Coordinates of all heavy atoms in Angstrom, one line a residue:
M1 N -63.1 -51.4 35.5 CA -62.7 -52.7 34.9 C -61.6 -53.3 35.9 O -60.6 -52.6 36.2 CB -62.1 -52.4 33.6 CG -61.4 -53.5 32.9 SD -60.5 -52.9 31.6 CE -60.7 -53.9 30.3
L2 N -61.8 -54.5 36.2 CA -60.9 -55.2 37.1 C -59.7 -55.6 36.2 O -59.8 -56.4 35.3 CB -61.5 -56.4 37.7 CG -60.7 -57.2 38.7 CD1 -60.4 -56.4 39.9 CD2 -61.4 -58.5 39.1
V3 N -58.5 -55.1 36.6 CA -57.2 -55.4 35.8 C -56.6 -56.6 36.4 O -56.1 -57.5 35.7 CB -56.3 -54.2 35.8 CG1 -55.0 -54.5 35.2 CG2 -56.9 -53.0 35.2
D4 N -56.5 -56.7 37.7 CA -55.8 -57.8 38.4 C -56.4 -58.0 39.8 O -56.9 -57.0 40.4 CB -54.3 -57.5 38.4 CG -53.5 -58.8 38.7 OD1 -54.0 -59.9 38.7 OD2 -52.2 -58.6 38.9
S5 N -56.3 -59.1 40.4 CA -56.7 -59.4 41.7 C -56.0 -60.6 42.3 O -55.5 -61.4 41.5 CB -58.2 -59.6 41.8 OG -58.6 -60.7 41.0
G6 N -55.9 -60.7 43.6 CA -55.3 -61.8 44.2 C -55.7 -61.8 45.7 O -56.2 -60.9 46.2
Y7 N -55.4 -63.0 46.3 CA -55.7 -63.1 47.8 C -54.8 -64.1 48.4 O -54.2 -65.0 47.7 CB -57.1 -63.4 48.0 CG -57.5 -64.8 47.5 CD1 -57.5 -65.9 48.3 CD2 -57.9 -65.0 46.2 CE1 -57.8 -67.2 47.9 CE2 -58.2 -66.3 45.7 CZ -58.2 -67.4 46.6 OH -58.6 -68.6 46.2
S8 N -54.7 -64.1 49.7 CA -54.0 -65.1 50.5 C -54.8 -65.3 51.8 O -55.4 -64.4 52.3 CB -52.6 -64.5 50.9 OG -51.9 -65.4 51.7
V9 N -54.9 -66.6 52.2 CA -55.6 -66.9 53.4 C -54.7 -67.3 54.5 O -53.7 -68.1 54.3 CB -56.6 -68.0 53.1 CG1 -57.4 -68.4 54.4 CG2 -57.6 -67.7 52.0
T10 N -54.8 -66.7 55.7 CA -54.0 -67.0 56.8 C -54.8 -67.5 58.0 O -56.0 -67.2 58.1 CB -53.2 -65.8 57.3 OG1 -54.1 -64.8 57.7 CG2 -52.3 -65.3 56.2
T11 N -54.2 -68.3 58.8 CA -54.9 -68.8 60.0 C -54.1 -68.4 61.2 O -52.9 -68.7 61.3 CB -55.0 -70.4 60.0 OG1 -55.6 -70.8 58.8 CG2 -55.8 -70.9 61.2
N12 N -54.7 -67.8 62.2 CA -54.0 -67.4 63.4 C -54.0 -68.5 64.4 O -54.5 -69.6 64.2 CB -54.5 -66.0 63.9 CG -55.9 -66.1 64.5 OD1 -56.4 -67.2 64.8 ND2 -56.5 -65.0 64.8
S13 N -53.3 -68.3 65.6 CA -53.2 -69.3 66.6 C -54.5 -69.7 67.2 O -54.6 -70.8 67.8 CB -52.2 -68.8 67.7 OG -52.8 -67.7 68.3
S14 N -55.6 -68.9 67.0 CA -56.9 -69.2 67.5 C -57.7 -70.0 66.5 O -58.9 -70.4 66.8 CB -57.6 -68.0 68.0 OG -56.9 -67.3 69.0
G15 N -57.2 -70.2 65.3 CA -57.9 -70.9 64.3 C -58.8 -70.0 63.4 O -59.5 -70.5 62.5
D16 N -58.7 -68.7 63.7 CA -59.4 -67.7 62.8 C -58.8 -67.7 61.4 O -57.5 -67.7 61.3 CB -59.4 -66.3 63.4 CG -60.1 -66.3 64.8 OD1 -61.1 -67.0 65.0 OD2 -59.5 -65.6 65.7
K17 N -59.6 -67.6 60.4 CA -59.1 -67.5 59.0 C -59.4 -66.2 58.5 O -60.5 -65.7 58.5 CB -59.7 -68.6 58.2 CG -59.3 -70.0 58.7 CD -59.5 -71.1 57.7 CE -59.2 -72.5 58.3 NZ -57.8 -72.7 58.5
Y18 N -58.4 -65.5 57.9 CA -58.5 -64.2 57.3 C -58.1 -64.2 55.8 O -57.0 -64.9 55.5 CB -57.7 -63.2 58.1 CG -58.3 -63.0 59.5 CD1 -57.7 -63.6 60.6 CD2 -59.4 -62.2 59.7 CE1 -58.2 -63.5 61.8 CE2 -59.9 -62.0 61.0 CZ -59.3 -62.6 62.0 OH -59.9 -62.5 63.3
L19 N -58.8 -63.6 55.0 CA -58.4 -63.5 53.6 C -57.9 -62.0 53.3 O -58.6 -61.0 53.6 CB -59.7 -63.7 52.7 CG -59.5 -63.7 51.2 CD1 -60.5 -64.7 50.6 CD2 -59.8 -62.4 50.6
Y20 N -56.6 -61.9 53.0 CA -56.1 -60.7 52.6 C -56.2 -60.6 51.1 O -55.9 -61.5 50.3 CB -54.6 -60.6 52.9 CG -54.3 -60.6 54.4 CD1 -54.3 -61.7 55.2 CD2 -54.1 -59.3 55.1 CE1 -54.1 -61.7 56.6 CE2 -53.9 -59.3 56.4 CZ -53.9 -60.4 57.2 OH -53.7 -60.4 58.5
Y21 N -56.7 -59.5 50.6 CA -57.0 -59.3 49.1 C -56.4 -58.1 48.6 O -56.1 -57.1 49.3 CB -58.5 -59.4 48.8 CG -59.2 -58.1 49.3 CD1 -59.3 -57.0 48.4 CD2 -59.8 -58.0 50.5 CE1 -59.9 -55.8 48.8 CE2 -60.4 -56.8 50.9 CZ -60.5 -55.7 50.1 OH -61.1 -54.6 50.4
G22 N -56.1 -58.1 47.3 CA -55.7 -56.9 46.6 C -56.4 -56.9 45.2 O -56.7 -57.9 44.6
A23 N -56.7 -55.7 44.7 CA -57.4 -55.5 43.4 C -56.8 -54.3 42.8 O -56.6 -53.3 43.4 CB -58.9 -55.4 43.6
V24 N -56.6 -54.4 41.4 CA -56.2 -53.3 40.6 C -57.4 -53.0 39.7 O -57.9 -53.9 39.0 CB -55.0 -53.6 39.8 CG1 -54.5 -52.4 38.9 CG2 -53.8 -54.0 40.7
V25 N -57.8 -51.7 39.7 CA -59.0 -51.3 38.9 C -58.7 -50.2 38.0 O -58.0 -49.2 38.4 CB -60.2 -50.9 39.9 CG1 -61.4 -50.5 39.1 CG2 -60.5 -52.0 40.9
S26 N -59.1 -50.3 36.8 CA -58.8 -49.2 35.8 C -60.1 -48.6 35.3 O -61.1 -49.2 35.3 CB -57.9 -49.7 34.7 OG -58.7 -50.5 33.8
N27 N -60.0 -47.3 34.8 CA -61.1 -46.6 34.1 C -60.6 -46.4 32.7 O -59.8 -45.4 32.5 CB -61.4 -45.3 34.9 CG -62.5 -44.5 34.1 OD1 -63.1 -45.0 33.1 ND2 -62.7 -43.3 34.6
P28 N -61.0 -47.1 31.7 CA -60.5 -47.0 30.4 C -61.2 -45.8 29.6 O -60.8 -45.5 28.5 CB -60.9 -48.3 29.7 CG -62.1 -48.7 30.4 CD -61.9 -48.3 31.9
N29 N -62.1 -45.1 30.2 CA -62.8 -44.0 29.6 C -61.9 -42.8 29.4 O -61.1 -42.5 30.3 CB -64.1 -43.6 30.4 CG -65.1 -44.6 30.4 OD1 -65.7 -44.9 29.3 ND2 -65.4 -45.2 31.5
K30 N -62.0 -42.1 28.3 CA -61.1 -41.0 28.0 C -61.7 -39.7 28.6 O -60.9 -38.7 28.9 CB -60.9 -40.8 26.5 CG -60.3 -42.0 25.9 CD -58.9 -42.3 26.4 CE -58.3 -43.5 25.7 NZ -57.2 -44.0 26.5
D31 N -63.0 -39.6 28.8 CA -63.7 -38.4 29.2 C -64.5 -38.5 30.5 O -65.0 -37.5 31.0 CB -64.6 -37.8 28.1 CG -63.8 -37.5 26.8 OD1 -62.6 -37.0 27.0 OD2 -64.3 -37.8 25.7
L32 N -64.7 -39.7 30.9 CA -65.6 -40.0 32.1 C -64.8 -40.5 33.3 O -63.9 -41.3 33.1 CB -66.7 -41.0 31.7 CG -67.7 -40.5 30.6 CD1 -68.6 -41.6 30.3 CD2 -68.4 -39.3 31.0
A33 N -65.2 -40.1 34.5 CA -64.6 -40.6 35.7 C -65.5 -41.6 36.3 O -66.7 -41.5 36.2 CB -64.3 -39.4 36.7
A34 N -64.9 -42.6 36.9 CA -65.7 -43.6 37.7 C -66.0 -43.0 39.0 O -65.1 -42.6 39.7 CB -64.9 -44.9 37.8
Q35 N -67.3 -42.9 39.3 CA -67.7 -42.2 40.6 C -68.1 -43.3 41.6 O -69.0 -44.2 41.3 CB -68.9 -41.3 40.3 CG -69.4 -40.6 41.6 CD -70.6 -39.7 41.3 OE1 -71.4 -40.0 40.4 NE2 -70.7 -38.7 42.1
F36 N -67.5 -43.3 42.7 CA -67.8 -44.3 43.8 C -67.7 -45.8 43.2 O -68.7 -46.5 43.5 CB -69.1 -44.0 44.5 CG -69.2 -42.6 45.0 CD1 -70.2 -41.8 44.6 CD2 -68.2 -42.2 45.9 CE1 -70.3 -40.5 45.1 CE2 -68.3 -40.9 46.4 CZ -69.4 -40.0 46.0
P37 N -66.7 -46.1 42.5 CA -66.6 -47.5 42.1 C -66.5 -48.5 43.3 O -66.0 -48.2 44.3 CB -65.2 -47.6 41.3 CG -64.5 -46.4 41.8 CD -65.4 -45.4 42.2
K38 N -67.2 -49.6 43.2 CA -67.3 -50.5 44.3 C -66.7 -51.9 43.8 O -67.0 -52.4 42.8 CB -68.8 -50.8 44.6 CG -69.0 -51.7 45.7 CD -70.5 -51.8 46.2 CE -71.5 -51.8 45.2 NZ -72.9 -51.9 45.6
I39 N -65.8 -52.3 44.7 CA -65.1 -53.6 44.5 C -65.8 -54.6 45.5 O -66.0 -54.3 46.6 CB -63.6 -53.6 44.9 CG1 -62.9 -52.5 44.0 CG2 -63.0 -55.0 44.7 CD1 -61.5 -52.2 44.5
T40 N -66.4 -55.7 44.9 CA -67.0 -56.7 45.7 C -66.2 -58.0 45.7 O -65.8 -58.5 44.7 CB -68.5 -57.0 45.2 OG1 -69.2 -55.8 45.2 CG2 -69.2 -58.0 46.1
I41 N -65.9 -58.5 46.9 CA -65.1 -59.7 47.1 C -66.0 -60.7 47.8 O -66.5 -60.4 48.8 CB -63.8 -59.5 47.9 CG1 -63.0 -58.4 47.2 CG2 -63.0 -60.7 48.0 CD1 -63.2 -57.0 47.9
T42 N -66.1 -61.9 47.2 CA -67.0 -62.9 47.8 C -66.2 -64.2 47.9 O -65.6 -64.8 47.0 CB -68.2 -63.2 46.8 OG1 -68.9 -62.0 46.6 CG2 -69.1 -64.2 47.5
A43 N -66.1 -64.7 49.2 CA -65.3 -65.9 49.5 C -66.4 -67.0 49.6 O -67.4 -66.9 50.3 CB -64.6 -65.8 50.8
K44 N -66.1 -68.1 48.9 CA -67.1 -69.2 48.9 C -66.4 -70.5 49.4 O -65.3 -70.8 49.2 CB -67.6 -69.5 47.4 CG -68.4 -68.3 46.9 CD -69.0 -68.6 45.5 CE -69.9 -67.5 45.1 NZ -70.6 -67.9 43.8
A45 N -67.3 -71.3 50.0 CA -66.9 -72.7 50.5 C -66.9 -73.7 49.3 O -67.4 -73.3 48.2 CB -67.8 -73.2 51.6
E46 N -66.4 -74.8 49.5 CA -66.3 -75.9 48.5 C -67.7 -76.2 47.9 O -67.8 -76.5 46.7 CB -65.7 -77.1 49.0 CG -65.3 -78.1 47.9 CD -64.4 -79.2 48.4 OE1 -63.6 -78.9 49.3 OE2 -64.5 -80.3 47.9
D47 N -68.8 -76.1 48.7 CA -70.1 -76.4 48.3 C -70.8 -75.2 47.6 O -71.9 -75.3 47.2 CB -71.0 -76.9 49.4 CG -71.2 -75.9 50.5 OD1 -70.8 -74.7 50.3 OD2 -71.9 -76.2 51.5
G48 N -70.0 -74.1 47.4 CA -70.6 -73.0 46.7 C -71.3 -72.0 47.6 O -71.6 -70.9 47.2
S49 N -71.4 -72.3 48.9 CA -72.1 -71.4 49.8 C -71.1 -70.2 50.1 O -69.9 -70.3 50.0 CB -72.4 -72.1 51.1 OG -71.3 -72.6 51.8
I50 N -71.7 -69.1 50.4 CA -70.9 -67.9 50.7 C -70.4 -67.8 52.1 O -71.2 -67.9 53.0 CB -71.7 -66.6 50.3 CG1 -72.0 -66.6 48.8 CG2 -71.0 -65.3 50.8 CD1 -72.9 -65.5 48.4
I51 N -69.1 -67.7 52.3 CA -68.5 -67.6 53.6 C -68.5 -66.2 54.1 O -68.9 -65.9 55.2 CB -67.0 -68.1 53.6 CG1 -67.0 -69.6 53.2 CG2 -66.4 -67.9 54.9 CD1 -65.6 -70.0 52.9
A52 N -68.1 -65.3 53.2 CA -68.0 -63.9 53.5 C -68.1 -63.0 52.3 O -67.6 -63.5 51.2 CB -66.8 -63.6 54.3
T53 N -68.6 -61.9 52.4 CA -68.7 -60.9 51.3 C -68.2 -59.6 51.8 O -68.6 -59.2 52.9 CB -70.1 -60.8 50.7 OG1 -70.5 -62.0 50.2 CG2 -70.1 -59.7 49.5
H54 N -67.4 -58.9 51.1 CA -67.0 -57.5 51.5 C -67.1 -56.6 50.3 O -66.8 -57.0 49.2 CB -65.5 -57.6 51.9 CG -64.9 -56.3 52.3 ND1 -65.2 -55.6 53.5 CD2 -64.1 -55.5 51.6 CE1 -64.6 -54.5 53.5 NE2 -63.9 -54.4 52.4
E55 N -67.6 -55.4 50.5 CA -67.7 -54.4 49.5 C -66.8 -53.2 49.9 O -66.9 -52.7 51.0 CB -69.1 -53.9 49.3 CG -70.0 -55.0 48.7 CD -71.4 -54.5 48.5 OE1 -71.8 -53.4 49.0 OE2 -72.2 -55.2 47.9
Q56 N -65.9 -52.8 49.0 CA -65.1 -51.6 49.3 C -65.4 -50.5 48.2 O -65.3 -50.8 47.0 CB -63.6 -52.0 49.1 CG -62.7 -50.8 49.4 CD -62.8 -50.4 50.8 OE1 -62.7 -51.1 51.7 NE2 -63.0 -49.1 51.0
T57 N -65.9 -49.4 48.7 CA -66.3 -48.3 47.8 C -65.1 -47.3 47.8 O -64.7 -46.8 48.8 CB -67.6 -47.6 48.2 OG1 -68.6 -48.6 48.3 CG2 -68.0 -46.5 47.3
L58 N -64.7 -47.0 46.6 CA -63.6 -46.0 46.4 C -64.3 -44.6 46.1 O -65.5 -44.5 46.0 CB -62.7 -46.4 45.3 CG -62.1 -47.8 45.4 CD1 -61.3 -48.2 44.1 CD2 -61.3 -48.0 46.6
F59 N -63.5 -43.6 46.0 CA -64.0 -42.2 45.7 C -64.2 -42.0 44.2 O -65.3 -42.1 43.7 CB -63.1 -41.2 46.3 CG -63.8 -39.8 46.4 CD1 -65.0 -39.6 47.0 CD2 -63.2 -38.7 45.8 CE1 -65.6 -38.4 47.1 CE2 -63.8 -37.5 45.8 CZ -65.0 -37.3 46.5
F60 N -63.2 -41.7 43.5 CA -63.2 -41.5 42.0 C -62.1 -42.2 41.4 O -61.0 -42.4 42.0 CB -63.1 -40.0 41.6 CG -64.4 -39.2 41.8 CD1 -64.5 -38.3 42.9 CD2 -65.4 -39.3 41.0 CE1 -65.6 -37.6 43.1 CE2 -66.6 -38.5 41.1 CZ -66.6 -37.7 42.2
I61 N -62.2 -42.6 40.2 CA -61.1 -43.0 39.3 C -61.1 -42.1 38.1 O -62.1 -42.1 37.4 CB -61.1 -44.5 38.9 CG1 -61.2 -45.4 40.1 CG2 -59.9 -44.9 38.1 CD1 -61.3 -46.9 39.8
A62 N -60.1 -41.3 38.0 CA -60.0 -40.3 36.9 C -60.0 -41.1 35.5 O -59.7 -42.2 35.4 CB -58.7 -39.5 37.0
P63 N -60.4 -40.4 34.5 CA -60.4 -40.9 33.1 C -59.0 -41.5 32.8 O -58.0 -40.9 33.2 CB -60.7 -39.8 32.2 CG -61.5 -38.8 33.0 CD -60.9 -39.0 34.4
D64 N -58.9 -42.7 32.2 CA -57.7 -43.3 31.8 C -56.7 -43.5 32.9 O -55.5 -43.3 32.8 CB -57.1 -42.5 30.6 CG -56.1 -43.4 29.8 OD1 -56.3 -44.6 29.8 OD2 -55.1 -42.8 29.3
D65 N -57.2 -43.9 34.1 CA -56.4 -44.0 35.3 C -56.6 -45.4 35.9 O -57.6 -46.1 35.6 CB -56.7 -43.0 36.3 CG -55.7 -42.7 37.4 OD1 -54.6 -43.3 37.3 OD2 -55.9 -42.0 38.3
T66 N -55.6 -45.8 36.7 CA -55.7 -47.1 37.4 C -55.3 -46.9 38.8 O -54.4 -46.2 39.2 CB -54.7 -48.1 36.7 OG1 -55.0 -48.2 35.3 CG2 -54.7 -49.4 37.4
V67 N -56.1 -47.6 39.7 CA -55.8 -47.5 41.2 C -55.8 -49.0 41.7 O -56.3 -49.9 41.1 CB -56.9 -46.7 41.9 CG1 -56.9 -45.3 41.4 CG2 -58.2 -47.3 41.8
S68 N -55.1 -49.1 42.9 CA -55.1 -50.4 43.6 C -55.7 -50.2 45.0 O -55.7 -49.1 45.6 CB -53.6 -50.8 43.8 OG -53.0 -50.9 42.6
N69 N -56.2 -51.3 45.5 CA -56.9 -51.3 46.8 C -56.7 -52.7 47.4 O -56.6 -53.7 46.7 CB -58.4 -51.0 46.6 CG -59.1 -50.9 48.0 OD1 -59.6 -51.9 48.4 ND2 -59.0 -49.8 48.6
G70 N -56.7 -52.8 48.7 CA -56.5 -54.0 49.4 C -57.2 -54.0 50.7 O -57.5 -52.9 51.2
G71 N -57.3 -55.1 51.3 CA -58.0 -55.2 52.6 C -58.0 -56.6 53.2 O -57.3 -57.5 52.7
L72 N -58.8 -56.8 54.2 CA -58.9 -58.0 55.0 C -60.3 -58.4 55.2 O -61.2 -57.6 55.5 CB -58.2 -57.7 56.4 CG -58.3 -58.8 57.5 CD1 -57.4 -59.9 57.1 CD2 -57.9 -58.1 58.8
I73 N -60.6 -59.7 55.1 CA -62.0 -60.2 55.3 C -61.9 -61.4 56.3 O -61.0 -62.3 56.1 CB -62.5 -60.7 54.0 CG1 -62.6 -59.6 52.9 CG2 -63.9 -61.3 54.2 CD1 -62.9 -60.1 51.5
D74 N -62.7 -61.4 57.3 CA -62.8 -62.5 58.2 C -63.6 -63.6 57.6 O -64.8 -63.4 57.2 CB -63.6 -62.0 59.5 CG -63.7 -63.1 60.6 OD1 -63.3 -64.2 60.3 OD2 -64.1 -62.7 61.7
C75 N -63.0 -64.8 57.5 CA -63.7 -66.0 56.8 C -64.4 -66.9 57.8 O -64.7 -68.0 57.5 CB -62.7 -66.7 56.0 SG -62.2 -65.9 54.5
K76 N -64.5 -66.4 59.0 CA -65.3 -67.1 60.1 C -64.8 -68.6 60.3 O -65.6 -69.5 60.4 CB -66.8 -67.1 59.7 CG -67.3 -65.6 59.5 CD -68.7 -65.6 59.0 CE -69.1 -64.2 58.7 NZ -69.4 -64.0 57.3
G77 N -63.5 -68.8 60.2 CA -62.9 -70.1 60.5 C -63.0 -71.1 59.4 O -62.6 -72.2 59.6
V78 N -63.4 -70.6 58.2 CA -63.6 -71.6 57.1 C -62.6 -71.2 56.0 O -62.4 -70.0 55.6 CB -65.0 -71.5 56.5 CG1 -65.2 -72.4 55.3 CG2 -66.0 -71.9 57.6
D79 N -61.9 -72.2 55.4 CA -61.0 -71.9 54.3 C -61.8 -71.8 53.0 O -62.6 -72.7 52.7 CB -60.1 -73.1 54.1 CG -58.7 -73.0 54.7 OD1 -58.2 -71.8 54.8 OD2 -58.2 -74.0 55.2
P80 N -61.7 -70.6 52.3 CA -62.5 -70.5 51.1 C -61.9 -71.4 50.0 O -60.7 -71.6 49.9 CB -62.3 -69.0 50.7 CG -61.2 -68.5 51.5 CD -61.0 -69.4 52.7
S81 N -62.8 -72.0 49.2 CA -62.5 -72.8 48.1 C -62.3 -71.9 46.9 O -61.5 -72.2 46.0 CB -63.6 -73.8 47.8 OG -63.3 -74.6 46.7
S82 N -63.0 -70.8 46.8 CA -62.8 -69.9 45.7 C -63.1 -68.5 46.2 O -63.8 -68.3 47.2 CB -63.8 -70.2 44.5 OG -65.1 -70.1 44.9
V83 N -62.6 -67.5 45.5 CA -62.8 -66.1 45.8 C -63.1 -65.4 44.5 O -62.4 -65.5 43.5 CB -61.6 -65.4 46.5 CG1 -61.8 -63.9 46.7 CG2 -61.3 -66.2 47.8
E84 N -64.3 -64.6 44.5 CA -64.7 -63.9 43.3 C -64.6 -62.4 43.5 O -64.9 -61.9 44.6 CB -66.1 -64.2 42.9 CG -66.3 -65.7 42.6 CD -67.8 -66.1 42.4 OE1 -68.7 -65.2 42.5 OE2 -68.1 -67.2 42.1
F85 N -64.1 -61.7 42.5 CA -64.0 -60.2 42.5 C -64.9 -59.6 41.4 O -64.9 -60.2 40.3 CB -62.5 -59.8 42.2 CG -61.5 -60.1 43.3 CD1 -61.0 -61.4 43.4 CD2 -61.1 -59.2 44.2 CE1 -60.1 -61.7 44.4 CE2 -60.1 -59.5 45.1 CZ -59.6 -60.7 45.3
S86 N -65.5 -58.5 41.7 CA -66.3 -57.8 40.7 C -66.2 -56.3 41.0 O -65.9 -55.9 42.1 CB -67.7 -58.3 40.7 OG -68.4 -58.0 41.9
V87 N -66.4 -55.5 40.0 CA -66.3 -54.1 40.1 C -67.6 -53.5 39.4 O -67.9 -53.9 38.3 CB -65.0 -53.5 39.4 CG1 -65.0 -52.0 39.5 CG2 -63.8 -54.1 40.1
S88 N -68.2 -52.5 40.0 CA -69.2 -51.7 39.4 C -69.1 -50.3 39.7 O -68.4 -49.9 40.7 CB -70.6 -52.2 40.0 OG -70.7 -52.0 41.4
S89 N -69.6 -49.4 38.8 CA -69.4 -48.0 39.0 C -70.4 -47.2 38.1 O -70.9 -47.7 37.1 CB -68.0 -47.6 38.6 OG -67.8 -46.2 38.8
D90 N -70.7 -46.0 38.6 CA -71.4 -45.0 37.8 C -70.3 -44.1 37.2 O -69.2 -44.1 37.7 CB -72.3 -44.1 38.6 CG -73.5 -44.9 39.1 OD1 -74.0 -45.9 38.4 OD2 -74.0 -44.7 40.2
F91 N -70.6 -43.4 36.1 CA -69.6 -42.5 35.5 C -70.2 -41.1 35.4 O -71.4 -40.9 35.1 CB -69.3 -43.1 34.1 CG -68.5 -44.4 34.2 CD1 -69.2 -45.6 34.1 CD2 -67.1 -44.4 34.3 CE1 -68.5 -46.8 34.3 CE2 -66.5 -45.6 34.4 CZ -67.1 -46.8 34.4
V92 N -69.3 -40.2 35.5 CA -69.6 -38.7 35.5 C -68.5 -38.0 34.6 O -67.5 -38.6 34.4 CB -69.6 -38.1 36.9 CG1 -70.7 -38.7 37.7 CG2 -68.3 -38.2 37.6
P93 N -68.8 -36.8 34.1 CA -67.8 -36.1 33.4 C -66.5 -36.0 34.2 O -66.5 -35.8 35.4 CB -68.4 -34.7 33.1 CG -69.9 -35.0 33.2 CD -70.1 -36.1 34.2
G94 N -65.4 -36.3 33.5 CA -64.1 -36.4 34.2 C -63.3 -35.1 34.3 O -62.1 -35.2 34.7
D95 N -63.9 -34.0 33.9 CA -63.1 -32.7 33.9 C -63.3 -31.9 35.2 O -62.9 -30.7 35.2 CB -63.4 -31.9 32.7 CG -64.9 -31.6 32.5 OD1 -65.7 -32.0 33.4 OD2 -65.3 -30.9 31.5
S96 N -63.8 -32.4 36.2 CA -64.0 -31.7 37.5 C -62.7 -31.5 38.3 O -61.8 -32.4 38.2 CB -65.0 -32.4 38.3 OG -65.0 -31.9 39.7
D97 N -62.5 -30.4 39.0 CA -61.3 -30.3 39.9 C -61.3 -31.3 41.0 O -60.3 -31.5 41.6 CB -61.3 -28.8 40.4 CG -61.0 -27.8 39.3 OD1 -60.4 -28.2 38.3 OD2 -61.3 -26.6 39.6
D98 N -62.4 -31.9 41.3 CA -62.5 -32.8 42.4 C -61.9 -34.2 42.0 O -61.7 -35.0 42.9 CB -64.0 -33.0 42.8 CG -64.6 -31.8 43.4 OD1 -63.8 -30.9 44.0 OD2 -65.8 -31.7 43.4
I99 N -61.7 -34.4 40.8 CA -61.2 -35.7 40.3 C -59.7 -35.6 40.0 O -59.3 -34.9 39.1 CB -62.0 -36.1 39.0 CG1 -63.5 -36.2 39.4 CG2 -61.4 -37.5 38.5 CD1 -64.4 -36.4 38.2
I100 N -59.0 -36.3 40.8 CA -57.5 -36.2 40.8 C -56.9 -37.5 40.2 O -57.3 -38.6 40.6 CB -56.9 -36.0 42.2 CG1 -57.5 -34.7 42.8 CG2 -55.4 -36.0 42.2 CD1 -57.2 -34.5 44.2
H101 N -56.1 -37.4 39.2 CA -55.4 -38.5 38.6 C -54.4 -39.0 39.6 O -53.7 -38.3 40.4 CB -54.7 -38.1 37.3 CG -54.3 -39.2 36.4 ND1 -53.2 -40.0 36.6 CD2 -54.9 -39.7 35.3 CE1 -53.2 -40.9 35.7 NE2 -54.2 -40.8 34.9
S102 N -54.3 -40.4 39.7 CA -53.4 -41.0 40.7 C -51.9 -40.5 40.6 O -51.2 -40.5 41.6 CB -53.5 -42.5 40.7 OG -53.0 -43.0 39.5
S103 N -51.5 -40.1 39.4 CA -50.1 -39.7 39.2 C -49.9 -38.3 39.9 O -48.7 -37.9 40.2 CB -49.8 -39.6 37.8 OG -50.6 -38.6 37.1
N104 N -51.0 -37.6 40.3 CA -50.8 -36.3 41.0 C -50.8 -36.5 42.5 O -50.7 -35.5 43.3 CB -52.0 -35.4 40.6 CG -51.9 -35.0 39.2 OD1 -50.8 -34.9 38.6 ND2 -53.0 -34.7 38.6
L105 N -50.9 -37.8 43.0 CA -50.8 -38.0 44.4 C -49.4 -38.1 45.0 O -48.5 -38.5 44.3 CB -51.6 -39.3 44.8 CG -53.1 -39.2 44.4 CD1 -53.7 -40.6 44.7 CD2 -53.8 -38.1 45.2

């Protein structure tokens, strides 16, 4: 579940445009871990066409845990008019030793 997200677009001296993004994702399940949750970020132009799409796959999100992730996307010289975030995941039993709660990091 996407809790929060945000982005900032910068332009370097060569005119390249980059979108810096951040996303906060939670797993509200009490007994299931999110396995390989995928955050998808889509930057769109004013006409609705897609400038760039980036998918970031995480490892696990423990039951009742929240994690943050961020990165950079090349917008190919175009200022995005909108940016969409989505999250998808499969779920597995959350009692495995391989699944570490973020508070234990």
